[in-house]
Every structure is written in structure tokens, then in C-alpha cells.
Amino acid sequence: MGRLRIRVGGREIEVPSGSTVWDLIGEWGGGSSQEYIAARLNGRLVGLAEPLEEGELELLGWEDEEAREVYRHTAAHVMAQAVMELYPETKLAIGPAIHDGFYYDFDIPVRITPDDLPRIEERMREIVGRNTPLIREVWSKEDALRYFKDQGQDYKVEILEEMGEETVTVYRQGGFVDLCRGPHLPSTGMLKNFKLLSLAGAYWRGDEARPMLQRIYGTAFLERKDLEDYLHFLEEAERRDHRRLGREMDLFSFHEEAGAGVVFYHPRGAILRGIIEDFLKEEHRKRGYQVVVTPHLFKGELWEISGHMDYYQENMYTFEKDGTRYVVKPMNCPGHILIYKTKPRSYREMPIKFFELGTVYRYERSGVLHGLMRVRGFTQDDAHIFCREDQIEEQVAEALDFAFYCLRTFGFDDYEVYLSTKPEKAVGSEKLWEKATAALQRSLESMNIEYQWDPGEGVFYGPKIDVKLRDAIGRLWQGPTIQADFNLPERFDLTYAGPDNRPHRPVMIHRVVLAGIERFYGVLLEHYGGHLPFWLSPIQVAIIPIADRHLDYAREVEKKMKERGIRAEVDEDRQTVGMKIRKAQIQKVPFSVVVGDREVESGTISVRDRTGKDTRGVTLDEFMRRAEEWIAQRARESVWDC
RNA sequence: GCCGGUGUAGCUCAAUGGCAGAGCAACCGCCUUGUAAGCGGUCGGUUGGAGGUUCGAUUCCUCUCACCGGCUCCA
């Protein structure tokens, strides 16, 4: 038997040929086999039980994303085996690892309920206890087809039929055999900490014309603590749920009588919304945008010209009156185009930037609605920049820069950027699309922004840049989008006079920053878990008199604060101080200001911030001075730290 | 829209075919209070809506509306 030379961890090791990765770990002694999940052998991801070949080996532990996927993929297989054992009639679809867990789609003749999950989990533990090896086997496609047909595994057969390869790999663990590219953990016993989380329906291949399968979601971790942390994260996300905060903080509501997907902002909720809107208008004006207002209802004709009737109809609310078709606007662009067209435009005035807090209505299928995050009626901070072709790059870059400024102001520092290309249903020639896409790409590159391609995800009239923002607990949300559009200007025959005094075609840049105000509002609430920065808090100060005799003083403090633009409110309830503090705390009011005999006498206030820190004898002027500072600076933190 | 689940007082939840309940909130009163729940009392419901089965339905069935978790889609 020959020997293989393997470079690993900066050393070169010789092992007998036929050795597996596992064998090498024992020989190498550079760490215990417990730490490793998978390996990369000459760049290829392999399982630990796979045979070595000469070359470069990298051992992968939990910190490696692909290794985590291997681990969770094995968890999916173990779950599939458990389900097969419990429900032998089950047909298996697919079961991949996902971002922080795994799922498997099953066609089970009986209906699974959440009560069944513990039983399945129990069986999984049993399978783990058996410590069955997962054995990789290479089969000919024919053999595989015969086997899975024989087993009645229709979905596997369908997958096989679509595969081009002559040979396929299957993984065998005891009596359970699954078509799978792998790799996997060497044995079920290596799977340690897992939990089944939820149950959902999912179409086979995501196609609603195909059968609905039962999907089970779960997660798995190497370390118990990581699993616990993850479960805590889920609880944390639930605590931050904007729907719950909206109710507790008395910000907004939904009403069955009014219909799904439309939001009612309560007085306090409207204050926050107003602050966001004022901020946007002010910042847009600063940057040369002109604020416009357009109606909610246009005749169908306009949407014929824009192409919406052909490409966006399923999302539009339309109706007929006196024989005329009307559309409740799903987008603001046609309105801004009409304003553009009201007079001859010159190259000298380019770019022309119209901004509108435009409320639009889009039909969304009932099942997708979700609190403020996905609604049917929402307001966009929408702008259309009409410019010359040579200005696109600079205008897109400027818009991006503006967008990042706004996001940072609201407390978001982490982003992911995507460039989306032409979708299947689209207006305009290939050439225009290429031109527009290239312009967006140049802007990103000129700003040194890292981005990823998102093929086919553009809007019907143009490619787009999407910015996704990461919140305080690491989740990504849709944020700004910028679209370059050569198509609508053509459809509406937009022109401007060039230096040659001849008509030229402008380009339109569609762009939103916070995008849907409703969604952003929800994201903002979840990002801060309701503990909004001072400048955004609907009520900034709860003034709490200790006894009735302090009411006059409390009202005086309130009046002075209000005069300085601080949103303060006296809590006049005949309740204990503890109770009133508790109320303010639940409503996430940044400061509770307590006034009693001591304060009345010395003309001071007692200040309690949201962390619970209590400072007595603060002068009103000092407090207001700092409050004004937090507002002016749009500070993220406001703790009383002296 | 589809799959699964849920819908009982303002909120959180009991009651599973036999008189619809509790805590908190609200209201009234007492207490005049020092940093996350003071005490007592009162009010509150066509059990989301419509229809059906039944002597009798919150409970079982059908339809419908809304919500929750997904699929799909999207700002």
C-alpha cells in the first residue's frame, strides 16, 4: 500500500492510502475529532469518513459556514429517518440546511400537528443514540431510479430524472437511504443539540400548481449553549415583535371591519410617523428635491401608457365608475411624470427631482400580510429624478449616499447591497436594460460599495439596486431601492431641450430610502425593541407627581418642557409612584421625572432613565438643555449619566 | 391564493355538548403615596360573523372574515 502526502495546518503528514479524514485527525493530533465536522480536500467539501487523496486538507469546525451546513443537513436526514419510521408511507421531497437551521419537506398521508413534533424529536434522539454510520455510496443513475421507484419515492424519482449525471450519490444510515449530494457527518451519534421548531406548508418546488407538502423546521448546534442562545434569540425576537410593541405602546392598530393590511395610527403612533416624515421632507429639500403631492386615483388610461395594466395588474385595485376605469395608484411614478410634462424642460434644469410621501395601495394575497411589515396600503418616501444620461452615475451615487445618511441617522449601520437584473416580464429592449444595468453597476463601483447580483429580480421597467439593512439582532430587512429607468420616459414621450435645441430623452431614476414607511416603522420598533432614541419617542418625558399637592408644580414643569419642544406629559392618575413608573416603563418612555416635596421646595426634578437609574436634584434647565441636545443631534442614546 | 393553526371582556387566558369564568385594565370609593403592580367595590360578553346538526352549541359540521406560522410574492 502506498502512502499519501497531505498538507494540513501548515504541516505535511503521510498516511497510508485508503485512510479517511478521520484517521488523519487521530494521527495528526492537532485537535480532537470532536471539534471537526467536515473538511475541505483540495477545495472540495468532504465528510470526515471519506477517503483522503493527496493534496491540501483543511479541517472545518463549527465556525465554518459550510461545516455548519453539513451538520444541519445531517440533522435533516435524521429527522427524515425519524419521520419515515413513524410514518412509513411518507414520501420525501427535499431537506436542506438553511440559514440557522434546516427543514425537510414531506408528503405524509396523515396531517402532522405541532403536538407531533416532540414525538419526532424523541425518535431522532433514539436514532442519534443508535450512532448509525452515514455511508456514502455512488450508484448509477439507473440503479437509483429503480430503487426509488421501487420505494414509491416519487419526488426523488423526479429529481433523479432531471439530473444530467450518470452516477449519483446516496447516503445510507441503517435502513434509511436518501438521494443526497452530501457530505454528511460520519455518524448519527455526532449530532448533539437540536430542536424541531415549527410546521408549515410548502409547495413542491415552490410551485403553487404542485402538491402542498408538510415542512418541518428545526435547528441544530454543536454546543448546547449555542442552541440555548438561539432559542433565546427567538424569544428576544418575539419580545421585540412590533405588533406587540404597537399595542403596548399604543401606536397603531388593525381592524377587521376595515379590512386586512391597512394601518390605523393612534395619536402616539402618529407622532412618531410625523417625526419620520418631517425628517424626510427636510432632508430632501436640503438636497434639492422638490416636494410634490399627487392624487390617489387615476384613470386607467394612464396605467395603460405606463405599462402597469399589462405588467402589474394583479397588484392593482381597479374599479369602474360612469363607464370609466379607475386605478387606485400602486406607484407614484406616473403622477410625477405628468408634472414633468406640464412644461418644456431644458437640459440646464437637470436633474429635476420630485419627492412625495406617496400613499399607494397594492393588492397582496391575504396570506402574505404581516403586521406593518407587509400591508396593502402604505406610504413611500418616493422620488423620481429626471436627468440626462450622462448624469445617471452621479445621481445614483448621490441617492445612495443620501440613503445611507438617513439609515445611519435612524440607527442602522450594517447593510447588504444587491443589484437586480431584468425579470422575465419586462418592458423595453434588451439594449436599454443593458445600458441601465451598466449605469447602476458603475455607480456602485465608483462608490466602492460591495454588492451581490440578484438575477431576474428587477422591476418590470428597470434594473434596481436594493439595500438591505441589518437590525440589532442581526436580521436583514428591505431598505432603499434605486431603479434606473429608460422605459417610462419613452412610453410617456418625455423630452427636454438639449444644448442643440433639439428634443432629447431624459432618464428616470426611481428611488425610495425608507421605502414603505409602514415597514420601516415596524423595523425601527423591532431594531430598538421599542426603546426608541429620544428624538423619536412619541412621549419623551413622563412627569410623575408624588401626591396631589405636587400637581401644580408638575404641570408647570410640563408647560416649560413643551415650550422648549420636549414631548412631556403629566401622569395625573391617583396611583402610587411605583405604578406610574411601571406604566411609563412599559410604554418605553425614555424619562420618568418624579416631583415631590423635595423638588417643589428646591425647584428641581428627579430624573429616572430607561435603564432604571435615578438621579435626584436635577435642575430643570440642565435637563432641558441635554434633552434639546439629544433632539438636535438625533442621538441614539439618552441616559442620564451624571 | 394555498397548507396548517388560532379567534371567548380593552389585554392575557380558563371553561369541550348542559347556567360563560379569572387576573390585569376601565369605572367608583378609600389611601396622598419617593422610583416596575396599595386596598375595597362596580361595570364589562349575540364566545369574530352567517348558516346547519342537536331538546340544548363557546364546544360538532359548512361557509365567511380576521389573525398567527409557512409557501409564493414584495416597499
Side-chain angles (χ1 to χ4, degrees):
Chain A
M1 268 265 147
R3 296 183 69 80
L4 299 171
R5 279 203 310 270
I6 315 278
R7 274 190 312 283
V8 56
R11 284 170 51 197
E12 195 165 278
I13 293 187
E14 275 199 16
V15 292
S17 65
S19 301
T20 65
V21 180
W22 231 354
D23 298 331
L24 178 136
I25 294 171
E27 205 140 314
W28 177 49
S32 103
S33 59
Q34 300 266 326
E35 289 170 35
Y36 300 115
I37 295 167
R40 230 184 309 271
L41 180 57
N42 295 323
R44 183 169 57 90
L45 191 67
V46 296
L48 299 182
E50 286 184 49
L52 285 164
E53 60 192 48
E54 195 136 304
E56 190 98 26
L57 182 77
E58 192 190 347
L59 293 165
L60 306 175
W62 185 252
E63 64 291 340
D64 185 90
E65 194 185 327
E66 284 188 289
R68 288 198 296 272
E69 281 175 14
V70 168
Y71 191 86
R72 288 169 172 160
H73 193 177
T74 300
H77 272 229
V78 170
M79 176 169 78
Q81 184 178 359
V83 169
M84 285 302 288
E85 288 181 9
L86 292 165
Y87 311 94
E89 304 290 293
T90 300
K91 292 176 185 175
L92 302 169
I94 54 164
I98 50 175
H99 173 56
D100 31 21
F102 61 89
Y103 69 79
Y104 212 113
D105 285 346
F106 303 104
D107 188 343
I108 312 176
V110 297
R111 200 176 285 164
I112 298 287
T113 73
D115 298 335
D116 295 319
L117 295 184
R119 223 159 54 90
I120 297 169
E121 214 175 282
E122 182 78 12
R123 182 59 71 107
M124 286 173 71
R125 272 181 236 294
E126 206 182 305
I127 292 166
V128 167
R130 291 178 210 157
N131 200 14
T132 319
L134 283 96
I135 299 159
R136 180 177 188 270
E137 295 177 8
V138 180
W139 291 9
S140 74
K141 191 172 149 183
E142 277 161 59
D143 287 348
L145 268 171
R146 199 173 314 118
Y147 175 82
F148 287 108
K149 259 183 198 155
D150 198 46
Q151 298 286 313
Q153 291 293 349
D154 304 342
Y155 301 98
K156 297 293 177 190
V157 170
E158 186 177 327
I159 295 167
L160 275 166
E161 277 167 350
E162 284 171 19
M163 284 169 65
E165 293 85 349
E166 283 305 301
T167 60
V168 299
T169 54
V170 301
Y171 276 79
R172 180 192 293 279
Q173 61 198 69
F176 175 76
V177 176
D178 196 2
L179 175 70
C180 182
R181 191 172 289 123
H184 277 285
L185 297 177
S187 153
T188 59
M190 277 180 72
L191 188 64
K192 294 277 191 299
N193 300 293
F194 55 88
K195 185 162 178 60
L196 301 187
L197 297 172
S198 61
L199 212 52
Y203 300 108
W204 169 231
R205 305 235 144 143
D207 181 348
E208 59 192 87
R210 314 287 307 260
M212 176 66 76
L213 307 169
Q214 302 191 69
R215 174 174 297 181
I216 302 176
Y217 282 95
T219 192
F221 291 85
L222 188 62
E223 301 294 336
R224 164 151 296 274
K225 190 178 174 303
D226 290 340
L227 174 63
E228 281 166 5
D229 286 351
Y230 180 73
L231 296 176
H232 284 146
F233 161 82
L234 292 181
E235 281 167 26
E236 175 65 25
E238 203 180 310
R239 270 223 318 282
R240 285 168 182 258
D241 192 316
H242 71 281
R243 293 163 298 189
R244 174 197 180 123
L245 291 170
R247 195 174 45 238
E248 283 175 1
M249 296 169 74
D250 195 12
L251 300 177
F252 56 85
S253 56
F254 295 90
H255 298 274
E256 192 174 334
E257 314 86 290
V262 289
V263 187
F264 292 75
Y265 290 89
H266 299 7
R268 289 184 177 192
I271 291 173
L272 172 54
R273 186 175 159 132
I275 297 164
I276 296 171
E277 291 182 343
D278 291 346
F279 169 82
L280 288 167
K281 281 189 203 160
E282 186 188 327
E283 295 298 325
H284 278 82
R285 286 199 180 101
K286 275 189 201 163
R287 287 169 178 77
Y289 289 80
Q290 297 170 283
V291 179
V292 298
V293 178
T294 65
H296 296 81
L297 211 56
F298 309 158
K299 285 202 292 193
E301 208 183 311
L302 193 69
W303 304 102
E304 301 276 1
I305 301 171
S306 68
H308 284 81
M309 279 295 194
D310 289 333
Y311 294 91
Y312 209 69
Q313 184 137 42
E314 61 204 33
N315 290 294
M316 300 198 294
Y317 287 100
T318 60
F319 63 93
E320 218 180 273
K321 196 82 184 168
D322 293 339
T324 306
R325 203 161 161 71
Y326 286 93
V327 175
V328 185
K329 71 172 172 183
M331 291 190 195
N332 301 299
C333 13
H336 294 185
I337 287 172
L338 292 184
I339 296 174
Y340 178 92
K341 284 183 73 142
T342 52
K343 56 185 174 186
R345 302 289 180 175
S346 148
Y347 75 98
R348 291 167 177 279
E349 55 180 323
M350 298 292 188
I352 296 169
K353 307 196 274 191
F354 293 145
F355 172 71
E356 177 173 14
L357 286 165
T359 303
V360 297
Y361 290 85
R362 299 183 186 172
Y363 171 75
E364 299 286 354
R365 298 155 104 188
S366 59
V368 305
L369 300 172
H370 179 88
L372 292 179
M373 303 303 193
R374 191 68 184 279
V375 290
R376 286 179 174 156
F378 60 102
T379 300
Q380 295 178 300
D381 55 344
D382 202 2
H384 293 93
I385 300 165
F386 299 86
C387 67
R388 291 181 259 120
E389 241 178 77
D390 62 286
Q391 293 175 312
I392 301 175
E393 198 177 312
E394 151 204 321
Q395 286 305 312
V396 170
E398 206 178 286
L400 272 169
D401 188 60
F402 181 17
F404 288 132
Y405 168 77
C406 293
L407 294 180
R408 274 196 305 274
T409 304
F410 284 103
F412 296 94
D413 298 318
D414 283 342
Y415 319 105
E416 280 188 15
V417 180
Y418 296 85
L419 180 47
S420 303
T421 58
K422 188 173 178 233
E424 263 176 53
K425 281 176 78 179
V427 293
S429 70
E430 207 63 46
K431 210 180 113 209
L432 286 184
W433 274 87
E434 273 167 31
K435 210 152 93 176
T437 309
L440 291 182
Q441 192 181 358
R442 279 199 306 276
S443 302
L444 286 171
E445 274 157 19
S446 74
M447 289 186 74
N448 286 320
I449 294 173
E450 269 183 51
Y451 64 95
Q452 301 166 48
W453 290 93
D454 206 350
E457 290 302 312
V459 207
F460 73 84
Y461 50 73
K464 63 173 178 172
I465 293 170
D466 279 310
V467 178
K468 299 193 176 170
L469 31 132
R470 196 175 290 285
D471 74 8
I473 56 174
R475 299 168 302 181
L476 281 178
W477 302 95
Q478 176 66 51
T481 82
I482 300 175
Q483 299 152 4
D485 176 11
F486 290 85
N487 285 308
L488 289 184
E490 203 156 299
R491 287 180 158 253
F492 281 94
D493 192 26
L494 300 187
T495 58
Y496 66 88
D500 53 3
N501 198 26
R502 305 198 57 85
H504 294 262
R505 188 74 76 207
V507 178
M508 269 175 89
I509 297 166
H510 308 241
R511 152 257 83 126
V512 291
V513 176
L514 307 186
I517 303 288
E518 281 69 12
R519 174 189 289 179
F520 185 77
Y521 195 110
V523 171
L524 196 62
L525 279 176
E526 300 207 357
H527 179 56
Y528 287 110
H531 293 113
L532 294 164
F534 193 79
W535 71 287
L536 290 171
S537 291
I539 302 297
Q540 295 166 317
V541 182
I543 301 171
I544 298 171
I546 286 173
D548 285 355
R549 63 179 179 280
H550 310 121
L551 257 176
D552 284 343
Y553 182 71
R555 290 189 186 122
E556 198 185 314
V557 169
E558 179 192 59
K559 185 162 170 259
K560 282 186 178 151
M561 288 196 186
K562 280 185 168 160
E563 276 165 6
R564 302 262 291 260
I566 299 162
R567 293 182 292 277
E569 255 179 32
V570 178
D571 187 339
E572 305 203 357
D573 274 7
R574 291 173 58 93
Q575 273 293 353
T576 57
V577 174
M579 195 62 206
K580 288 191 263 198
I581 296 262
R582 176 180 150 81
K583 205 163 63 183
Q585 207 69 54
I586 287 170
Q587 291 176 348
K588 315 269 195 279
V589 178
F591 289 98
S592 295
V593 159
V594 177
V595 293
D597 289 336
R598 214 169 13 235
E599 285 74 20
V600 173
E601 213 171 289
S602 59
T604 61
I605 55 176
S606 164
V607 174
R608 182 192 207 270
D609 66 28
R610 270 188 303 222
T611 67
K613 187 166 180 290
D614 165 36
T615 312
R616 317 246 164 144
V618 176
T619 67
L620 189 52
D621 275 340
E622 167 68 359
F623 181 81
M624 293 198 295
R625 194 185 58 70
R626 292 186 64 179
E628 280 172 333
E629 231 168 75
W630 288 321
I631 295 171
Q633 294 171 357
R634 299 184 176 122
R636 293 186 190 181
E637 300 279 345
S638 56
V639 287
W640 198 267
D641 50 8
C642 57

